Amino acid sequence: MKTIKTNLKGLLRRCVPALILPSLLLLQGCPNEVEPEVDTEQQKINADPDYKAKSFLRKEYMDVYYYWNDQVKSRNASYKPYDYSSIYDWFDALLYSKDHWSWMMDKDTYISEETGVMTGTWGVSIGQAVEYYGDYSMRVRYIHPGSPFEQFGVTRGAKILKINGVDVEDRADSPFDSDKLAYFNESFYKSPQTFTFRLANGRDTTFKATMATSLATRTCLKAQVFQPDEFEGLPGPVGYFHFLSFTYGPDGEFLKDIREPMQTFREAGVRNLIVDLRYNGGGDSRVSDLLISYLAPKEAQGRAYVIRKHNSNLSGEDQTTSIKKNDESLELDHIYFITGHGTASASEMVMNGLKPYMGDKMKMVGQTTYGKPNGMYVLMYPGSDSDYERYNRDDYSKLQWVFLPICFYNQNSLGQNIPDEGFTPDNSRPDDLFHDFGVNEGDINACLTHLVSGNWPALPSVSTVRTKASVRKDYLIEKEEDAAGYGRYVVRKQVF
């Protein structure tokens, strides 16, 4: 994947460690006998293996690109890098108090995310239907093709009953509790394991499985066309596109995960489309540029969809990105976005950018989105021009750290920001973890019902819904969107 470095004159200086003043001389004993004082600061610098990286981060990146540079620069200048035990702690210390979006990662994490290759994995996302249903059972939110579970019939909606014969199900006679949570966290991520699942079709199955040592994932989880005979009243074929990540991939490999489904929809005569972004945490601007060119009306091509606003030092870098000309765009009558708490950053930016051009033809269905109105540059260490030239050739052999500080805010063509609290959907409803993706899945069904009738279906009924007071957060497993640093909209510039 191509990396970035902004081409601003004078901003790409190499980091030069601070000069150390000569040691003071201390007279001891005879006036003619002197002994140098121990330079404790130099000792601390020498003892910190990440001192150069920390200094580079502050001087070359945070003092230049960081959106809240004016608020933190003077404060950060007083900090000593060696006072922070890890570079992660140092990065956090440099952030503005209101910034809960910036993050960093190591080389291996970055490469894994950019290539889509997962290691040591079951290839599934697990969730709990607590928010509306009060159900703490472990259920599959989605499964990657090639998952070790796939061959045993596990799909979205499958529920884990047992691990190695130990009950982890939430039942009236045996409710999910802290002991079950502790056992799940201790056992689920070990391999091999014996699992008992209740599949989405109601059948129970027990099998032994081993984690995939390496699993190549794709950004399009599912693409299909719903025909009128599958849902009564449909005016024609309806496309369904479940997009998991705006990942560019080596040499733009993952762009085909947009192009190929869109070609299928166009050939099928799709004029109404459901875009499922409920678990999409964002990604690369080059991917969002392509997606929006397929979704926007032809009359919007060439017009602005995102305006990026930088700090006062980089106001000259403010940039407007327009919707690219695309002769293969879908010319949609209606578009429905399925949203969730994991819908973040680039996903929100695409929806925000389309709003001025789609009007009432665009609807959001599901849960309130994550709320990430800003974006970042991918800033790497080492960070000389020659280093970036290697990164732009997908050579990460010398890469150590990747920093993703907030560098700009996004607005659409009307100057509207993404709300900090996220978008509230037109039709709010719980994530249906009980059905696989299809016409019977709650959010998809709501989109199709509204398309046919103009009305939203009633929320699902549940026999027992626990009160909010009974929802014990310590019994909840962590999902991808709960992790620190979730959600990104990154822009890459070429080295000057």
Side-chain angles (χ1 to χ4, degrees):
M1 177 175 286
K2 304 304 180 188
T3 53
I4 70 99
K5 197 172 187 185
T6 193
N7 52 9
L8 301 176
K9 184 177 180 181
L11 298 183
L12 302 179
R13 304 184 301 275
R14 299 196 61 178
C15 179
V16 180
L19 296 177
I20 305 301
L21 295 176
S23 302
L24 297 177
L25 299 180
L26 179 65
L27 296 178
Q28 293 185 355
C30 270
N32 294 328
E33 296 179 1
V34 295
E35 183 175 314
E37 181 183 273
V38 175
D39 190 336
T40 55
E41 182 169 22
Q42 186 62 55
Q43 286 181 334
K44 292 177 181 179
I45 291 173
N46 294 341
D48 184 351
D50 290 316
Y51 184 83
K52 289 183 178 180
K54 292 175 179 177
S55 299
F56 193 94
L57 167 63
R58 175 170 58 186
K59 181 179 180 182
E60 303 296 338
Y61 291 156
M62 301 301 284
D63 286 356
V64 176
Y65 301 100
Y66 191 46
Y67 185 79
W68 293 280
N69 169 274
D70 290 341
Q71 287 85 348
V72 301
K73 187 173 182 178
S74 296
R75 181 204 68 184
N76 289 352
S78 66
Y79 293 166
K80 302 293 186 182
Y82 50 69
D83 286 337
Y84 297 84
S85 58
S86 76
I87 194 168
Y88 292 95
D89 292 338
W90 171 247
F91 180 81
D92 289 343
L94 300 179
L95 301 180
Y96 182 49
S97 59
K98 295 182 180 180
D99 179 8
H100 58 274
W101 299 285
S102 296
W103 55 300
M104 63 166 290
M105 54 185 153
D106 62 20
K107 167 185 177 177
D108 292 338
T109 303
Y110 176 76
I111 292 175
S112 175
E113 291 192 2
E114 296 306 296
T115 60
V117 176
M118 304 169 66
T119 58
T121 181
W122 294 119
V124 296
S125 174
I126 302 294
Q128 295 167 295
V130 174
E131 189 171 350
Y132 177 79
Y133 298 95
D135 185 341
Y136 287 81
S137 292
M138 309 296 189
R139 297 179 182 272
V140 175
R141 300 200 298 172
Y142 59 87
I143 180 169
H144 290 284
S147 161
F149 292 162
E150 187 180 39
Q151 62 181 306
F152 301 104
V154 174
T155 64
R156 171 182 169 84
K159 176 170 64 172
I160 304 176
L161 304 181
K162 297 177 181 180
I163 302 177
N164 292 327
V166 178
D167 177 21
V168 294
E169 183 186 4
D170 183 34
R171 305 192 312 272
D173 64 333
S174 179
F176 190 83
D177 57 21
S178 57
D179 290 339
K180 289 184 178 181
L181 176 65
Y183 185 78
F184 174 86
N185 287 332
E186 176 186 347
S187 305
F188 181 74
Y189 300 100
K190 294 180 180 178
S191 175
Q193 294 282 33
T194 298
F195 295 94
T196 299
F197 273 89
R198 178 159 296 152
L199 302 180
N201 61 13
R203 180 174 64 87
D204 290 356
T205 182
T206 299
F207 57 86
K208 186 175 184 179
T210 302
M211 280 186 174
T213 55
S214 179
L215 180 63
T217 63
R218 305 301 304 186
T219 57
C220 175
L221 186 67
K222 191 170 188 178
Q224 67 182 97
V225 177
F226 300 131
Q227 298 293 347
D229 60 355
E230 297 178 75
F231 194 91
E232 186 177 356
L234 287 185
V238 176
Y240 173 72
F241 180 56
H242 192 124
F243 198 51
L244 268 181
S245 174
F246 290 84
T247 303
Y248 187 75
D251 296 322
E253 175 186 354
F254 291 156
L255 294 179
K256 67 182 180 183
D257 285 3
I258 294 176
R259 292 190 176 109
E260 291 175 359
M262 295 301 155
Q263 180 179 355
T264 298
F265 296 149
R266 186 174 176 83
E267 291 174 353
V270 165
R271 298 295 300 249
N272 300 288
L273 180 66
I274 301 170
V275 180
D276 197 334
L277 300 176
R278 74 184 87 183
Y279 307 128
N280 190 314
D284 195 304
S285 65
R286 292 170 292 184
V287 185
S288 56
D289 289 351
L290 177 64
L291 178 61
I292 204 167
S293 74
Y294 278 101
L295 305 182
K298 282 210 182 292
E299 59 268 23
Q301 293 181 10
R303 299 172 67 181
Y305 85 91
V306 61
I307 303 167
R308 293 191 288 272
K309 299 286 189 178
H310 296 75
N311 63 34
S312 59
N313 295 330
L314 298 184
S315 58
E317 288 292 289
D318 290 353
Q319 184 176 0
T320 298
T321 300
S322 299
I323 299 171
K324 292 180 171 57
K325 178 177 173 58
N326 187 343
D327 293 334
E328 302 299 319
S329 66
L330 296 185
E331 303 178 72
L332 297 170
D333 294 330
H334 299 91
I335 183 168
Y336 292 85
F337 285 102
I338 296 179
T339 63
H341 299 319
T343 306
S345 205
S347 293
E348 295 172 299
M349 191 275 303
V350 165
M351 295 186 294
N352 196 45
L354 275 177
K355 281 172 57 180
Y357 304 114
M358 296 298 295
D360 290 339
K361 295 181 178 180
M362 172 180 149
K363 302 293 182 184
M364 298 182 191
V365 179
Q367 298 171 304
T368 300
T369 65
Y370 187 85
K372 188 170 184 298
N374 39 42
M376 56 270 282
Y377 294 125
V378 181
L379 304 174
M380 298 187 172
Y381 181 82
S384 68
D385 286 352
S386 60
D387 292 317
Y388 274 88
E389 289 169 1
R390 280 195 302 275
Y391 303 148
N392 284 338
R393 298 193 301 269
D394 294 327
D395 177 1
Y396 301 113
S397 58
K398 294 187 178 182
L399 177 64
Q400 296 180 34
W401 305 107
V402 176
F403 307 107
L404 299 165
I406 295 302
C407 298
F408 51 84
Y409 263 67
N410 297 313
Q411 298 177 339
N412 65 16
S413 61
L414 300 180
Q416 298 167 326
N417 293 326
I418 297 164
D420 283 359
E421 64 276 11
F423 286 116
T424 300
D426 298 284
N427 180 238
S428 296
R429 53 197 319 112
D431 191 9
D432 178 9
L433 297 182
F434 303 90
H435 296 90
D436 196 4
F437 300 115
V439 296
N440 294 319
E441 192 275 332
D443 289 343
I444 298 173
N445 184 275
C447 296
L448 296 175
T449 299
H450 187 271
L451 178 63
V452 168
S453 67
N455 299 311
W456 301 109
L459 292 177
S461 61
V462 289
S463 56
T464 302
V465 178
R466 297 173 184 168
T467 64
K468 288 186 180 296
S470 69
V471 175
R472 295 284 305 277
K473 289 190 176 182
D474 52 326
Y475 293 170
L476 298 177
I477 59 172
E478 183 178 271
K479 303 180 292 297
E480 289 86 345
E481 56 266 33
D482 299 327
Y486 180 81
R488 56 178 162 159
Y489 173 65
V490 297
V491 178
R492 288 162 168 79
K493 298 181 181 180
Q494 298 301 311
V495 176
F496 180 69

